[in-house]
Amino acid sequence: MLSTKLQIQSKLPQVPTSIFAVMSGLAHKENALNLSQGFPNFESDSKLIELVNKAMVNGGNQYAPMPGILSLREVIADKMKSLYDVSYNPETEIIITAGATQAIFTAIAATVKKDDEVIIFKPAYDCYEPTIELFGGKTKAVQLDPEEFSINWEEVKGLITDKTRLIIINSPHNPSGRVLSKHDMLQLENLLRNTNILLLSDEVYEHIIFDGEKHQSAALFPALAERAFITASFGKTFHNTGWKVGYCIAPELLMEEFKKVHQFNVFSVHHPTQIALAEYMKSPSNYLELGSFYQQKRDLFLSLIKESRFEFKPSKGTYFQLLNFKNITTENDYDFAVRLTKEMKIAGIPISVFNEQNLDTKVLRFCFAKTDDTIRAAAKILNKI
Ligand SMILES: Cc1ncc(COP(=O)(O)O)c(C=O)c1O
């Protein structure tokens, strides 16, 4: 029984339950196809699962070293060298985290103080803003145009003040599937060069990029790399989002601060998974083939719904596809998403929840990280709407 005197003053009074929990919960209750939350409905490579099992059987079951096991940090450094020709010191510049979410949380916690300003781009992944708020920072949001999701860098320049501490970018972008170009990154580099502003580059979909595009990591641009926390997710790359293992890369000066928070935030991350990933990552094809794997799924999905009443532009990266429903109904996106789940038995995510002031652009996000059978079943429903 709670004492009537007990009162909690929320540190995050505006934060509702995450839309992913809401829509996944509803999909489950309604027995609907769940294309809302971003996770695959197929298994991780059995070789990787065997490697985790082996690590457990061989006794890798106690605390891992605080920054992660060195062999895993070394293969990440090798990957950064071979893909982007940049050198990160595995001893001091790479930390294994409990998913990208913890990497993002820790980077913000380590750098944002009361009244610092943080620039983000909306629609934005939902963990950035509450974390900024939790540490007393102020979010300054740039609403991207709903057609192209392109960034007006002049607008960004106009938002920078002497209080700007951090800019958060995300490419390939959830939810739009937009990919930042080299030109975008050069403009950002020009804005940040010779400033004291840090960058958080959320690159969890680094390997899920289509149509021959090249991922423009912040690591490739010297004036960005020197100030960037780059966050990554093994869950997204190796089809095991439930394992919640990722990492953060940053220059030593930044990583020293990151580490101070990390050691009291989680201290260290699931050890057997790290042992397995260190071995599995030795074969680059395990992540380099991901783009073509998901491109086939995107193409299957889009070819099957091309006659539907939804309008779309093919996603350029991530495993999300936006579908515009303005030809179908004038309902707001949230109501439409709920109705589709209940009546048509398919769940997507209403985009307004990621937008500034919940701007409703009549768009839902669907996740195509699904078996081909599920994609076919989803398309069949979408074609009937
Ligand atoms: C853009 C973006 N960043 C971060 C994350 C979180 O990744 P993780 O599951 O590794 O914490 C997600 C997951 O959906 C995401 O879409």
Side-chain angles (χ1 to χ4, degrees), residues 331-359:
E331 273 165 291
N332 71 48
D333 63 355
Y334 188 88
D335 290 348
F336 185 53
V338 169
R339 188 164 68 83
L340 281 194
T341 312
K342 288 183 176 167
E343 292 178 9
M344 303 302 290
K345 304 295 174 200
I346 186 162
I349 293 281
I351 288 308
S352 59
V353 297
F354 305 115
N355 276 339
E356 193 54 1
Q357 297 183 339
N358 292 347
L359 176 74

PDB file of all heavy atoms in Angstrom, residues 331-359:
ATOM      1  N   GLU A 331      -8.275  10.452 -42.028  1.00  0.00           N
ATOM      2  CA  GLU A 331      -7.999  10.198 -40.604  1.00  0.00           C
ATOM      3  C   GLU A 331      -6.569  10.606 -40.252  1.00  0.00           C
ATOM      4  O   GLU A 331      -5.692  10.563 -41.119  1.00  0.00           O
ATOM      5  CB  GLU A 331      -8.039   8.678 -40.339  1.00  0.00           C
ATOM      6  CG  GLU A 331      -9.369   8.093 -40.022  1.00  0.00           C
ATOM      7  CD  GLU A 331      -9.285   6.568 -40.154  1.00  0.00           C
ATOM      8  OE1 GLU A 331      -9.132   6.074 -41.291  1.00  0.00           O
ATOM      9  OE2 GLU A 331      -9.372   5.895 -39.129  1.00  0.00           O
ATOM     10  N   ASN A 332      -6.346  10.918 -38.972  1.00  0.00           N
ATOM     11  CA  ASN A 332      -4.940  11.173 -38.612  1.00  0.00           C
ATOM     12  C   ASN A 332      -4.183   9.841 -38.566  1.00  0.00           C
ATOM     13  O   ASN A 332      -4.792   8.767 -38.505  1.00  0.00           O
ATOM     14  CB  ASN A 332      -4.806  11.993 -37.321  1.00  0.00           C
ATOM     15  CG  ASN A 332      -5.178  11.202 -36.085  1.00  0.00           C
ATOM     16  OD1 ASN A 332      -4.728  10.081 -35.890  1.00  0.00           O
ATOM     17  ND2 ASN A 332      -6.023  11.789 -35.247  1.00  0.00           N
ATOM     18  N   ASP A 333      -2.857   9.937 -38.652  1.00  0.00           N
ATOM     19  CA  ASP A 333      -2.064   8.711 -38.838  1.00  0.00           C
ATOM     20  C   ASP A 333      -2.181   7.754 -37.654  1.00  0.00           C
ATOM     21  O   ASP A 333      -2.184   6.536 -37.826  1.00  0.00           O
ATOM     22  CB  ASP A 333      -0.595   9.030 -39.202  1.00  0.00           C
ATOM     23  CG  ASP A 333       0.170   9.789 -38.139  1.00  0.00           C
ATOM     24  OD1 ASP A 333      -0.421  10.181 -37.122  1.00  0.00           O
ATOM     25  OD2 ASP A 333       1.391   9.989 -38.337  1.00  0.00           O
ATOM     26  N   TYR A 334      -2.322   8.317 -36.455  1.00  0.00           N
ATOM     27  CA  TYR A 334      -2.409   7.449 -35.271  1.00  0.00           C
ATOM     28  C   TYR A 334      -3.714   6.631 -35.310  1.00  0.00           C
ATOM     29  O   TYR A 334      -3.698   5.408 -35.140  1.00  0.00           O
ATOM     30  CB  TYR A 334      -2.340   8.305 -33.993  1.00  0.00           C
ATOM     31  CG  TYR A 334      -2.233   7.480 -32.741  1.00  0.00           C
ATOM     32  CD1 TYR A 334      -0.989   7.085 -32.251  1.00  0.00           C
ATOM     33  CD2 TYR A 334      -3.376   7.068 -32.051  1.00  0.00           C
ATOM     34  CE1 TYR A 334      -0.885   6.309 -31.110  1.00  0.00           C
ATOM     35  CE2 TYR A 334      -3.277   6.293 -30.913  1.00  0.00           C
ATOM     36  CZ  TYR A 334      -2.031   5.920 -30.443  1.00  0.00           C
ATOM     37  OH  TYR A 334      -1.930   5.143 -29.321  1.00  0.00           O
ATOM     38  N   ASP A 335      -4.811   7.335 -35.572  1.00  0.00           N
ATOM     39  CA  ASP A 335      -6.113   6.633 -35.629  1.00  0.00           C
ATOM     40  C   ASP A 335      -6.115   5.590 -36.743  1.00  0.00           C
ATOM     41  O   ASP A 335      -6.640   4.486 -36.583  1.00  0.00           O
ATOM     42  CB  ASP A 335      -7.255   7.632 -35.870  1.00  0.00           C
ATOM     43  CG  ASP A 335      -7.487   8.502 -34.649  1.00  0.00           C
ATOM     44  OD1 ASP A 335      -6.935   8.180 -33.581  1.00  0.00           O
ATOM     45  OD2 ASP A 335      -8.209   9.512 -34.768  1.00  0.00           O
ATOM     46  N   PHE A 336      -5.526   5.981 -37.884  1.00  0.00           N
ATOM     47  CA  PHE A 336      -5.498   5.049 -39.020  1.00  0.00           C
ATOM     48  C   PHE A 336      -4.671   3.802 -38.669  1.00  0.00           C
ATOM     49  O   PHE A 336      -5.079   2.664 -38.943  1.00  0.00           O
ATOM     50  CB  PHE A 336      -4.925   5.770 -40.248  1.00  0.00           C
ATOM     51  CG  PHE A 336      -4.960   4.950 -41.509  1.00  0.00           C
ATOM     52  CD1 PHE A 336      -6.134   4.350 -41.958  1.00  0.00           C
ATOM     53  CD2 PHE A 336      -3.803   4.791 -42.276  1.00  0.00           C
ATOM     54  CE1 PHE A 336      -6.153   3.595 -43.133  1.00  0.00           C
ATOM     55  CE2 PHE A 336      -3.821   4.047 -43.450  1.00  0.00           C
ATOM     56  CZ  PHE A 336      -4.991   3.438 -43.876  1.00  0.00           C
ATOM     57  N   ALA A 337      -3.528   4.032 -38.011  1.00  0.00           N
ATOM     58  CA  ALA A 337      -2.666   2.893 -37.642  1.00  0.00           C
ATOM     59  C   ALA A 337      -3.401   1.953 -36.685  1.00  0.00           C
ATOM     60  O   ALA A 337      -3.340   0.722 -36.829  1.00  0.00           O
ATOM     61  CB  ALA A 337      -1.370   3.399 -37.008  1.00  0.00           C
ATOM     62  N   VAL A 338      -4.133   2.532 -35.742  1.00  0.00           N
ATOM     63  CA  VAL A 338      -4.872   1.707 -34.777  1.00  0.00           C
ATOM     64  C   VAL A 338      -5.988   0.940 -35.514  1.00  0.00           C
ATOM     65  O   VAL A 338      -6.178  -0.261 -35.313  1.00  0.00           O
ATOM     66  CB  VAL A 338      -5.448   2.583 -33.634  1.00  0.00           C
ATOM     67  CG1 VAL A 338      -6.434   1.791 -32.780  1.00  0.00           C
ATOM     68  CG2 VAL A 338      -4.307   3.131 -32.779  1.00  0.00           C
ATOM     69  N   ARG A 339      -6.692   1.652 -36.417  1.00  0.00           N
ATOM     70  CA  ARG A 339      -7.800   0.992 -37.131  1.00  0.00           C
ATOM     71  C   ARG A 339      -7.281  -0.147 -38.017  1.00  0.00           C
ATOM     72  O   ARG A 339      -7.858  -1.232 -38.073  1.00  0.00           O
ATOM     73  CB  ARG A 339      -8.561   2.028 -37.969  1.00  0.00           C
ATOM     74  CG  ARG A 339      -9.843   1.471 -38.593  1.00  0.00           C
ATOM     75  CD  ARG A 339     -10.769   2.579 -39.068  1.00  0.00           C
ATOM     76  NE  ARG A 339     -10.234   3.316 -40.198  1.00  0.00           N
ATOM     77  CZ  ARG A 339     -10.322   2.928 -41.473  1.00  0.00           C
ATOM     78  NH1 ARG A 339     -10.905   1.780 -41.772  1.00  0.00           N
ATOM     79  NH2 ARG A 339      -9.833   3.671 -42.446  1.00  0.00           N
ATOM     80  N   LEU A 340      -6.139   0.115 -38.701  1.00  0.00           N
ATOM     81  CA  LEU A 340      -5.576  -0.953 -39.548  1.00  0.00           C
ATOM     82  C   LEU A 340      -5.243  -2.188 -38.721  1.00  0.00           C
ATOM     83  O   LEU A 340      -5.465  -3.322 -39.153  1.00  0.00           O
ATOM     84  CB  LEU A 340      -4.273  -0.490 -40.209  1.00  0.00           C
ATOM     85  CG  LEU A 340      -4.345   0.408 -41.429  1.00  0.00           C
ATOM     86  CD1 LEU A 340      -2.987   0.466 -42.110  1.00  0.00           C
ATOM     87  CD2 LEU A 340      -5.374  -0.115 -42.412  1.00  0.00           C
ATOM     88  N   THR A 341      -4.716  -1.943 -37.537  1.00  0.00           N
ATOM     89  CA  THR A 341      -4.329  -3.077 -36.690  1.00  0.00           C
ATOM     90  C   THR A 341      -5.569  -3.860 -36.268  1.00  0.00           C
ATOM     91  O   THR A 341      -5.589  -5.097 -36.317  1.00  0.00           O
ATOM     92  CB  THR A 341      -3.553  -2.578 -35.445  1.00  0.00           C
ATOM     93  OG1 THR A 341      -2.552  -1.670 -35.890  1.00  0.00           O
ATOM     94  CG2 THR A 341      -2.913  -3.724 -34.688  1.00  0.00           C
ATOM     95  N   LYS A 342      -6.605  -3.115 -35.870  1.00  0.00           N
ATOM     96  CA  LYS A 342      -7.804  -3.798 -35.368  1.00  0.00           C
ATOM     97  C   LYS A 342      -8.614  -4.432 -36.502  1.00  0.00           C
ATOM     98  O   LYS A 342      -9.044  -5.571 -36.400  1.00  0.00           O
ATOM     99  CB  LYS A 342      -8.701  -2.808 -34.621  1.00  0.00           C
ATOM    100  CG  LYS A 342      -8.120  -2.397 -33.281  1.00  0.00           C
ATOM    101  CD  LYS A 342      -9.095  -1.486 -32.568  1.00  0.00           C
ATOM    102  CE  LYS A 342      -8.581  -1.149 -31.175  1.00  0.00           C
ATOM    103  NZ  LYS A 342      -9.315  -0.057 -30.568  1.00  0.00           N
ATOM    104  N   GLU A 343      -8.823  -3.679 -37.583  1.00  0.00           N
ATOM    105  CA  GLU A 343      -9.759  -4.163 -38.610  1.00  0.00           C
ATOM    106  C   GLU A 343      -9.078  -4.978 -39.696  1.00  0.00           C
ATOM    107  O   GLU A 343      -9.633  -5.944 -40.199  1.00  0.00           O
ATOM    108  CB  GLU A 343     -10.492  -2.972 -39.258  1.00  0.00           C
ATOM    109  CG  GLU A 343     -11.432  -2.297 -38.285  1.00  0.00           C
ATOM    110  CD  GLU A 343     -12.123  -1.089 -38.902  1.00  0.00           C
ATOM    111  OE1 GLU A 343     -12.005  -0.871 -40.129  1.00  0.00           O
ATOM    112  OE2 GLU A 343     -12.778  -0.355 -38.137  1.00  0.00           O
ATOM    113  N   MET A 344      -7.852  -4.569 -40.089  1.00  0.00           N
ATOM    114  CA  MET A 344      -7.196  -5.248 -41.222  1.00  0.00           C
ATOM    115  C   MET A 344      -6.093  -6.203 -40.757  1.00  0.00           C
ATOM    116  O   MET A 344      -5.482  -6.908 -41.555  1.00  0.00           O
ATOM    117  CB  MET A 344      -6.609  -4.227 -42.203  1.00  0.00           C
ATOM    118  CG  MET A 344      -7.610  -3.234 -42.751  1.00  0.00           C
ATOM    119  SD  MET A 344      -8.992  -4.016 -43.620  1.00  0.00           S
ATOM    120  CE  MET A 344      -8.189  -4.617 -45.082  1.00  0.00           C
ATOM    121  N   LYS A 345      -5.802  -6.148 -39.457  1.00  0.00           N
ATOM    122  CA  LYS A 345      -4.818  -7.065 -38.857  1.00  0.00           C
ATOM    123  C   LYS A 345      -3.405  -6.866 -39.397  1.00  0.00           C
ATOM    124  O   LYS A 345      -2.673  -7.818 -39.686  1.00  0.00           O
ATOM    125  CB  LYS A 345      -5.253  -8.541 -39.032  1.00  0.00           C
ATOM    126  CG  LYS A 345      -6.641  -8.837 -38.480  1.00  0.00           C
ATOM    127  CD  LYS A 345      -6.711  -8.661 -36.975  1.00  0.00           C
ATOM    128  CE  LYS A 345      -8.112  -8.819 -36.419  1.00  0.00           C
ATOM    129  NZ  LYS A 345      -8.290  -8.218 -35.098  1.00  0.00           N
ATOM    130  N   ILE A 346      -3.050  -5.572 -39.542  1.00  0.00           N
ATOM    131  CA  ILE A 346      -1.656  -5.263 -39.873  1.00  0.00           C
ATOM    132  C   ILE A 346      -1.258  -4.000 -39.104  1.00  0.00           C
ATOM    133  O   ILE A 346      -2.035  -3.035 -39.057  1.00  0.00           O
ATOM    134  CB  ILE A 346      -1.439  -5.090 -41.397  1.00  0.00           C
ATOM    135  CG1 ILE A 346       0.046  -4.916 -41.688  1.00  0.00           C
ATOM    136  CG2 ILE A 346      -2.228  -3.912 -41.984  1.00  0.00           C
ATOM    137  CD1 ILE A 346       0.415  -5.167 -43.132  1.00  0.00           C
ATOM    138  N   ALA A 347      -0.069  -4.043 -38.485  1.00  0.00           N
ATOM    139  CA  ALA A 347       0.347  -2.910 -37.644  1.00  0.00           C
ATOM    140  C   ALA A 347       1.555  -2.196 -38.240  1.00  0.00           C
ATOM    141  O   ALA A 347       2.540  -2.831 -38.636  1.00  0.00           O
ATOM    142  CB  ALA A 347       0.693  -3.407 -36.233  1.00  0.00           C
ATOM    143  N   GLY A 348       1.467  -0.860 -38.304  1.00  0.00           N
ATOM    144  CA  GLY A 348       2.603  -0.015 -38.700  1.00  0.00           C
ATOM    145  C   GLY A 348       2.767   1.070 -37.647  1.00  0.00           C
ATOM    146  O   GLY A 348       2.048   1.089 -36.639  1.00  0.00           O
ATOM    147  N   ILE A 349       3.702   1.965 -37.873  1.00  0.00           N
ATOM    148  CA  ILE A 349       3.944   3.034 -36.895  1.00  0.00           C
ATOM    149  C   ILE A 349       3.521   4.382 -37.508  1.00  0.00           C
ATOM    150  O   ILE A 349       3.962   4.714 -38.614  1.00  0.00           O
ATOM    151  CB  ILE A 349       5.459   3.098 -36.534  1.00  0.00           C
ATOM    152  CG1 ILE A 349       5.900   1.847 -35.782  1.00  0.00           C
ATOM    153  CG2 ILE A 349       5.797   4.366 -35.755  1.00  0.00           C
ATOM    154  CD1 ILE A 349       5.558   1.791 -34.321  1.00  0.00           C
ATOM    155  N   PRO A 350       2.688   5.147 -36.798  1.00  0.00           N
ATOM    156  CA  PRO A 350       2.337   6.487 -37.301  1.00  0.00           C
ATOM    157  C   PRO A 350       3.540   7.427 -37.139  1.00  0.00           C
ATOM    158  O   PRO A 350       4.127   7.518 -36.068  1.00  0.00           O
ATOM    159  CB  PRO A 350       1.184   6.913 -36.388  1.00  0.00           C
ATOM    160  CG  PRO A 350       1.323   6.098 -35.145  1.00  0.00           C
ATOM    161  CD  PRO A 350       2.036   4.833 -35.511  1.00  0.00           C
ATOM    162  N   ILE A 351       3.881   8.116 -38.212  1.00  0.00           N
ATOM    163  CA  ILE A 351       5.101   8.920 -38.217  1.00  0.00           C
ATOM    164  C   ILE A 351       5.001  10.182 -37.359  1.00  0.00           C
ATOM    165  O   ILE A 351       6.007  10.716 -36.895  1.00  0.00           O
ATOM    166  CB  ILE A 351       5.434   9.294 -39.693  1.00  0.00           C
ATOM    167  CG1 ILE A 351       5.939   8.072 -40.427  1.00  0.00           C
ATOM    168  CG2 ILE A 351       6.434  10.403 -39.813  1.00  0.00           C
ATOM    169  CD1 ILE A 351       7.051   7.376 -39.710  1.00  0.00           C
ATOM    170  N   SER A 352       3.762  10.637 -37.123  1.00  0.00           N
ATOM    171  CA  SER A 352       3.606  11.898 -36.379  1.00  0.00           C
ATOM    172  C   SER A 352       4.297  11.854 -35.017  1.00  0.00           C
ATOM    173  O   SER A 352       4.768  12.873 -34.530  1.00  0.00           O
ATOM    174  CB  SER A 352       2.126  12.224 -36.189  1.00  0.00           C
ATOM    175  OG  SER A 352       1.500  11.176 -35.489  1.00  0.00           O
ATOM    176  N   VAL A 353       4.385  10.668 -34.425  1.00  0.00           N
ATOM    177  CA  VAL A 353       4.995  10.596 -33.089  1.00  0.00           C
ATOM    178  C   VAL A 353       6.478  10.974 -33.110  1.00  0.00           C
ATOM    179  O   VAL A 353       7.037  11.326 -32.079  1.00  0.00           O
ATOM    180  CB  VAL A 353       4.841   9.188 -32.449  1.00  0.00           C
ATOM    181  CG1 VAL A 353       3.397   8.846 -32.232  1.00  0.00           C
ATOM    182  CG2 VAL A 353       5.531   8.127 -33.280  1.00  0.00           C
ATOM    183  N   PHE A 354       7.115  10.913 -34.274  1.00  0.00           N
ATOM    184  CA  PHE A 354       8.537  11.285 -34.376  1.00  0.00           C
ATOM    185  C   PHE A 354       8.713  12.731 -34.828  1.00  0.00           C
ATOM    186  O   PHE A 354       9.825  13.216 -34.972  1.00  0.00           O
ATOM    187  CB  PHE A 354       9.266  10.428 -35.412  1.00  0.00           C
ATOM    188  CG  PHE A 354       9.166   8.951 -35.196  1.00  0.00           C
ATOM    189  CD1 PHE A 354       8.507   8.143 -36.103  1.00  0.00           C
ATOM    190  CD2 PHE A 354       9.765   8.350 -34.098  1.00  0.00           C
ATOM    191  CE1 PHE A 354       8.430   6.770 -35.924  1.00  0.00           C
ATOM    192  CE2 PHE A 354       9.700   6.987 -33.906  1.00  0.00           C
ATOM    193  CZ  PHE A 354       9.022   6.195 -34.823  1.00  0.00           C
ATOM    194  N   ASN A 355       7.588  13.404 -35.146  1.00  0.00           N
ATOM    195  CA  ASN A 355       7.668  14.737 -35.752  1.00  0.00           C
ATOM    196  C   ASN A 355       7.552  15.839 -34.725  1.00  0.00           C
ATOM    197  O   ASN A 355       7.003  15.642 -33.635  1.00  0.00           O
ATOM    198  CB  ASN A 355       6.547  14.904 -36.785  1.00  0.00           C
ATOM    199  CG  ASN A 355       6.921  14.320 -38.133  1.00  0.00           C
ATOM    200  OD1 ASN A 355       8.102  14.144 -38.428  1.00  0.00           O
ATOM    201  ND2 ASN A 355       5.927  14.020 -38.936  1.00  0.00           N
ATOM    202  N   GLU A 356       8.026  17.036 -35.123  1.00  0.00           N
ATOM    203  CA  GLU A 356       7.881  18.203 -34.285  1.00  0.00           C
ATOM    204  C   GLU A 356       6.387  18.492 -34.139  1.00  0.00           C
ATOM    205  O   GLU A 356       5.648  18.526 -35.129  1.00  0.00           O
ATOM    206  CB  GLU A 356       8.635  19.360 -34.973  1.00  0.00           C
ATOM    207  CG  GLU A 356       8.866  20.576 -34.141  1.00  0.00           C
ATOM    208  CD  GLU A 356       9.547  20.328 -32.802  1.00  0.00           C
ATOM    209  OE1 GLU A 356       9.898  19.184 -32.450  1.00  0.00           O
ATOM    210  OE2 GLU A 356       9.713  21.313 -32.077  1.00  0.00           O
ATOM    211  N   GLN A 357       5.951  18.688 -32.923  1.00  0.00           N
ATOM    212  CA  GLN A 357       4.538  18.941 -32.594  1.00  0.00           C
ATOM    213  C   GLN A 357       3.592  17.946 -33.262  1.00  0.00           C
ATOM    214  O   GLN A 357       2.508  18.303 -33.717  1.00  0.00           O
ATOM    215  CB  GLN A 357       4.180  20.369 -32.976  1.00  0.00           C
ATOM    216  CG  GLN A 357       5.025  21.305 -32.147  1.00  0.00           C
ATOM    217  CD  GLN A 357       4.754  22.760 -32.341  1.00  0.00           C
ATOM    218  OE1 GLN A 357       4.203  23.158 -33.359  1.00  0.00           O
ATOM    219  NE2 GLN A 357       5.167  23.536 -31.385  1.00  0.00           N
ATOM    220  N   ASN A 358       4.065  16.712 -33.344  1.00  0.00           N
ATOM    221  CA  ASN A 358       3.259  15.611 -33.890  1.00  0.00           C
ATOM    222  C   ASN A 358       2.653  15.915 -35.256  1.00  0.00           C
ATOM    223  O   ASN A 358       1.505  15.532 -35.544  1.00  0.00           O
ATOM    224  CB  ASN A 358       2.144  15.217 -32.903  1.00  0.00           C
ATOM    225  CG  ASN A 358       2.719  14.576 -31.657  1.00  0.00           C
ATOM    226  OD1 ASN A 358       3.893  14.220 -31.629  1.00  0.00           O
ATOM    227  ND2 ASN A 358       1.924  14.443 -30.631  1.00  0.00           N
ATOM    228  N   LEU A 359       3.417  16.610 -36.081  1.00  0.00           N
ATOM    229  CA  LEU A 359       2.967  16.928 -37.438  1.00  0.00           C
ATOM    230  C   LEU A 359       2.499  15.641 -38.130  1.00  0.00           C
ATOM    231  O   LEU A 359       3.229  14.649 -38.190  1.00  0.00           O
ATOM    232  CB  LEU A 359       4.144  17.544 -38.216  1.00  0.00           C
ATOM    233  CG  LEU A 359       3.900  17.856 -39.682  1.00  0.00           C
ATOM    234  CD1 LEU A 359       3.010  19.089 -39.813  1.00  0.00           C
ATOM    235  CD2 LEU A 359       5.233  18.083 -40.397  1.00  0.00           C
TER     236      LEU A 359
END
